[in-house]
Amino acid sequence: MVLAELGNQLSSAFRSLNETTIVNEETINQLLKEVGNALSKSDVSMSLVIQMRKNIMEKIKLDQMAAGLNKRKIIKQVVYDELIRLLDPGVPLWKPTKGKSNVVMFVGLQGAGKTTSVTKLAYFYKKKGFSTAIVCADTFRAGAFDQVRHNAAKAKIHYYGSETEKDPVVVARTGVDIFKKDGTEIIIVDTSGRHKQDSELFQEMKQIETAVKPDNCIFVMDSSIGQAAFEQATAFRSSVKVGSIIITKMDGNSMGGGAISAVAATNTPIIFIGTGEHLTDLELFDPSTFVSKLLGYGDMKGMLEKIKEVIPEDSTSLKEIAAGKFTLRSMQQQFQQIMQLGPIDKLVQMIPGMNQLPQLQGNEGGLKLKAYINILDSLSEKELDGKKPITQKRIITLAQGSGRHPNEVVELLEQHKTFEKLIGKGGPGGGLGSLMAGKGGPKNMEQAMKQMNANGGMQGLMNSLKGMGGMENLAKMFGGGGPGGGGMPSMGDLAKMMGGMGRGGGGGGGGMPNMGDLAKMMGGGGAKGGQNGFPNLDLD
């Protein structure tokens, strides 16, 4: 997880507040001390930490609070808002215009991940429906054009560069002109980097900027530099009109918090953060969402958007499930769709309260899911459709054919039985299957809640997690813990029912008004949306 250690320390500070019997000035000072220490360890500037502490103390007046108010909730809300303020420069993000050519220029030091980020951004906008192209104007670094060519070919994105022309200004102007004539909507220009900030680099950037007239200039920086990001961002802003910043290598660096807060202090918005080497490892940066995930409150809106990208509206599997039918073929299709969502551990970060579970961290979940898919691929058509029983002898054969242990085959079949029972209850038009089709009326909602409670609620789910690892945990979480009760399909239902829901806890429609209702259905505490969508988990 991005800044996992910082998130754990901040969550620990909040838990200590919940466990405190009496809330007084000493309680607040202890909380702020823990929060300040956590931020300092992440290389956040001490001056910013001190200013944040001052802002919090000015807003929290215990002696002025009316009797009966939940002081813990108020304190958490103020701290949450100030953490967002620490990372948010308050400047609107640049957005490309559909139907016209938008030129984006990348600048940065060598080794910051600039060329890789160029391809990631082009791929990101390609998935959003934009036509994209890359212009390699980096004629300084040997192999730069080869890297662009390789990355662009892998992402199936058009590119332009020259192995003979050494003037980066000429290459940039020519490439942009070509793609503008073709009507390309996003044209990204990759420029040369240097090992350090020097006059030659800045002069070259100014010349390219003048030649291509970019709509947005993105500065790429390595998160490992921590609070030194302030000086670096300021230096580049003084040379070119930097409109956005991408911070890379956030997946393996403890000083990312310092880099983000330092950049925010320059009043330049961070538009994306890089979280890995894959094409999809580029996340839109939103301070509120970032802090919410950091504290373990998840990002339900982001998760639902991911789900909508991979689950088709006319899914045959979902229609069958809505009718109360859940076959092994249904399970196979849902697992395949989960794989399209990306790494399991990143998906888990979006689910409130799940980022602290060690069983769901790392690559273990993804490997387990692949193992299940291998087993399901070994089944015959009749077995997948539930028309032929799977005997003990057949289990041994399936294990050998898929290269897995027989215990894993049994494990998978038991998971299927659990999902089948949950989805089948109530029959067509009722129960969990109906909810997943978006028919979440009051009666069906109540029925789903009864089914959930009958299966142990969230407490039962958490108990089952303790003795299990990998993807089955996530499957049980979606199947046994949520309103849908069938792995990924339940989230497909949530995507429909919660389509209008705000981040963290805003009001939604279609039978799922807010996170509080969802939490109650899952057998846990309520969650109420506060300012900035803060999901105040009622832990006290």
Side-chain angles (χ1 to χ4, degrees), residues 6 21 49 110 170 218 245 332 371 444 456 508:
L6 173 60
T21 306
V49 174
Q110 192 167 313
V170 173
I218 297 179
I245 289 179
Q332 181 186 43
N444 284 339

Side-chain angles (χ1 to χ4, degrees), residues 195-212:
H195 290 299
K196 59 185 177 69
Q197 298 160 204
D198 56 27
S199 56
E200 183 182 353
L201 169 64
F202 290 145
Q203 186 62 32
E204 181 181 300
M205 288 191 310
K206 289 178 181 177
Q207 292 174 352
I208 294 177
E209 182 184 32
T210 302
V212 302

Side-chain angles (χ1 to χ4, degrees), residues 425-427 430-431 442-452:
K425 285 183 179 180
K443 290 185 179 179
N444 284 339
M445 194 73 76
E446 183 180 354
Q447 186 177 4
M449 290 170 67
K450 289 179 179 178
Q451 290 183 32
M452 183 63 241

Side-chain angles (χ1 to χ4, degrees), residues 115 119 136 138 141-154 159-163 190:
T115 301
T119 311
C136 180
D138 183 355
R141 178 170 64 91
F145 181 40
D146 289 336
Q147 184 182 356
V148 168
R149 179 162 42 201
H150 172 77
N151 291 347
K154 183 178 179 181
Y159 63 91
Y160 174 84
S162 176
E163 295 178 332
D190 183 23

Side-chain angles (χ1 to χ4, degrees), residues 252-536:
N253 202 288
S254 62
M255 295 197 294
I260 292 175
S261 59
V263 169
T266 67
N267 291 322
T268 304
I270 300 169
I271 189 170
F272 288 97
I273 55 174
T275 58
E277 290 296 321
H278 299 291
L279 285 173
T280 55
D281 293 336
L282 190 71
E283 298 180 6
L284 268 170
F285 181 78
D286 176 80
S288 179
T289 301
F290 185 82
V291 173
S292 181
K293 289 165 66 175
L294 201 62
L295 295 176
Y297 298 130
D299 175 21
M300 290 298 293
K301 182 180 178 182
M303 184 179 72
L304 296 175
E305 287 175 353
K306 272 181 170 286
I307 293 166
K308 288 178 181 179
E309 289 179 3
V310 301
I311 298 183
E313 290 292 330
D314 58 346
S315 171
T316 303
S317 175
L318 284 180
K319 290 179 180 178
E320 290 180 349
I321 293 168
K325 181 180 179 182
F326 187 72
T327 63
L328 284 166
R329 188 184 299 279
S330 304
M331 178 179 258
Q332 181 186 43
Q333 292 175 353
Q334 302 316 308
F335 283 172
Q336 289 170 344
Q337 288 169 348
I338 291 175
M339 290 296 293
Q340 295 178 47
L341 292 173
I344 300 302
D345 56 338
K346 290 188 178 180
L347 180 65
V348 168
Q349 292 175 35
M350 297 182 173
I351 303 169
M354 294 294 113
N355 71 324
Q356 305 295 331
L357 295 174
Q359 301 98 322
L360 298 179
Q361 301 303 318
N363 195 38
E364 184 182 355
L367 293 175
K368 193 69 174 179
L369 183 56
K370 288 179 182 178
Y372 281 172
I373 291 176
N374 288 339
I375 295 170
L376 289 165
D377 287 343
S378 300
L379 295 174
S380 67
E381 295 295 316
K382 289 185 177 180
E383 288 170 337
L384 284 172
D385 293 329
K387 297 178 180 179
K388 184 178 180 181
I390 299 175
T391 63
Q392 194 71 30
K393 184 178 179 180
R394 177 59 174 157
I395 288 175
I396 302 297
T397 306
L398 288 172
Q400 293 173 340
S402 59
R404 311 307 306 181
H405 195 279
N407 287 348
E408 290 181 281
V409 180
V410 175
E411 206 174 71
L412 175 64
L413 295 176
E414 288 178 350
Q415 289 292 324
H416 171 257
K417 285 181 181 178
T418 302
F419 298 154
E420 189 176 35
K421 287 179 181 178
L422 285 169
I423 291 169
K425 285 183 179 180
L432 300 179
S434 180
L435 275 175
M436 286 166 5
K439 303 171 184 177
K443 290 185 179 179
N444 284 339
M445 194 73 76
E446 183 180 354
Q447 186 177 4
M449 290 170 67
K450 289 179 179 178
Q451 290 183 32
M452 183 63 241
N453 292 331
N455 284 276
M458 181 55 87
Q459 187 59 46
L461 168 66
M462 300 305 289
N463 290 335
S464 70
L465 286 173
K466 292 179 181 178
M468 303 182 68
M471 186 55 213
E472 66 268 33
N473 298 339
L474 188 59
K476 276 202 172 187
M477 174 170 58
F478 292 150
M488 200 62 221
S490 64
M491 293 205 299
D493 170 56
L494 287 177
K496 293 179 180 179
M497 292 195 297
M498 299 168 66
M501 185 187 73
R503 183 177 290 105
M512 185 67 74
N514 55 41
M515 282 299 296
D517 292 341
L518 176 61
K520 290 176 183 177
M521 288 179 63
M522 297 172 74
K528 302 175 184 178
Q531 186 180 352
N532 289 321
F534 177 47
N536 284 324

Side-chain angles (χ1 to χ4, degrees), residues 97 99-103 179-181 183-187 215:
T97 304
K100 70 177 285 288
S101 293
N102 302 268
V103 180
F179 290 123
K180 276 188 173 181
K181 289 178 182 177
T184 304
E185 294 171 309
I186 304 287
I187 305 170
D215 298 285

